[in-house]
Amino acid sequence: MTERVAILVSGGGSNMEVLADSMTGDHPARPCLVLSNVPGAGGLEKARARGIATTTVDHRSFNGDREGFERELISAIDAHAPDILCLAGFMRILTPLFITRYSGRMLNIHPSLLPKYPGLNTHARALAAGDAEAGCSVHEVTADLDSGPILGQARVPLRPGDTPETLAARVLEQEHSLYPMVLRRFAAGDRSRVDLP
Ligand code: GRF
């Protein structure tokens, strides 16, 4: 049975692109929706160009009513009956209302080697700490921010002279390898962890 995948984005959607493009041939899943909380987010246009249904739920029109926003998100998502949700640069903190609804079938990509550096500014924090390596993690989304079971990680050695920007660019390349690999396995029912390289 083909799994239906909804991808949630807030920005340019480069992870969405590689996920969507990976779901062809004998892949066990297909994209059914790209949703953004940001009207005009670059990811929406990229999805439309691929013939994927898109929708926008603008969090700003809910004036801080997080659950109201999430109820609207849920109804927009469930209209497309996805089996799996992929957060791909979706920059909203989600409440238990949303998380419990999609429990066990929602993935996120985070630009650090979790459990190090949940939250924002991960690359600057890795550099400030003098870490030898940075990276990214794909994890299941649970009620605690960036703390669900880790399904895969990719490591990126730091280089002398790295800035948060140069590091982010190298980590993003690894995100683009890791996330499709984890999604393919997850859609086939395999939740064992992968490590790159
Ligand atoms: C990625 O670095 C992701 O890890 C982070 O936001 C960025 C999204 O980039 N949460 P894109 O929209 O997929 O290009």
Side-chain angles (χ1 to χ4, degrees):
M1 220 188 71
T2 304
E3 301 285 293
R4 295 169 62 79
V5 178
I7 307 172
L8 275 57
V9 304
S10 297
S14 68
N15 278 289
M16 180 281 296
E17 285 187 285
V18 295
L19 289 174
D21 292 348
S22 73
M23 287 185 255
T24 59
D26 66 355
H27 196 291
R30 291 291 183 273
C32 66
L33 172 69
V34 171
L35 180 150
S36 182
N37 63 310
V38 179
L44 291 170
E45 191 46 49
K46 290 172 182 162
R48 270 183 226 115
R50 287 167 168 77
I52 304 169
T54 62
T55 191
T56 303
V57 180
D58 186 349
H59 64 276
R60 288 171 308 184
S61 40
F62 293 85
N63 297 317
D65 172 11
R66 276 186 195 273
E67 296 207 344
F69 166 63
E70 291 185 354
R71 277 192 291 275
E72 189 64 31
L73 266 190
I74 288 169
S75 113
I77 291 167
D78 288 356
H80 294 264
D83 303 294
I84 297 171
L85 260 63
C86 288
L87 307 183
F90 187 67
M91 303 303 281
R92 302 304 301 164
I93 292 188
L94 298 163
T95 79
L97 171 79
F98 189 87
I99 291 170
T100 53
R101 180 162 191 96
Y102 302 107
S103 164
R105 51 199 186 106
M106 180 159 46
L107 308 181
N108 181 41
I109 183 132
H110 182 76
S112 79
L113 294 173
L114 291 170
K116 274 194 162 180
Y117 315 129
L120 297 175
N121 304 317
T122 54
H123 305 302
R125 288 154 73 197
L127 287 165
D131 291 352
E133 59 179 9
C136 53
S137 308
V138 176
H139 63 94
E140 279 187 52
V141 178
T142 57
D144 295 323
L145 181 69
D146 298 330
S147 301
I150 292 172
L151 298 169
Q153 287 194 322
R155 317 184 94 78
V156 174
L158 267 68
R159 293 181 187 155
D162 258 337
T163 63
E165 292 73 29
T166 61
L167 182 56
R170 292 208 308 290
V171 171
L172 190 62
E173 272 180 40
Q174 290 302 302
E175 294 180 31
H176 294 164
S177 300
L178 182 68
Y179 209 174
M181 192 176 294
V182 172
L183 173 62
R184 187 183 181 109
R185 294 159 63 103
F186 189 82
D190 179 358
R191 297 183 181 203
S192 61
R193 175 183 167 133
V194 301
D195 283 281
L196 295 179

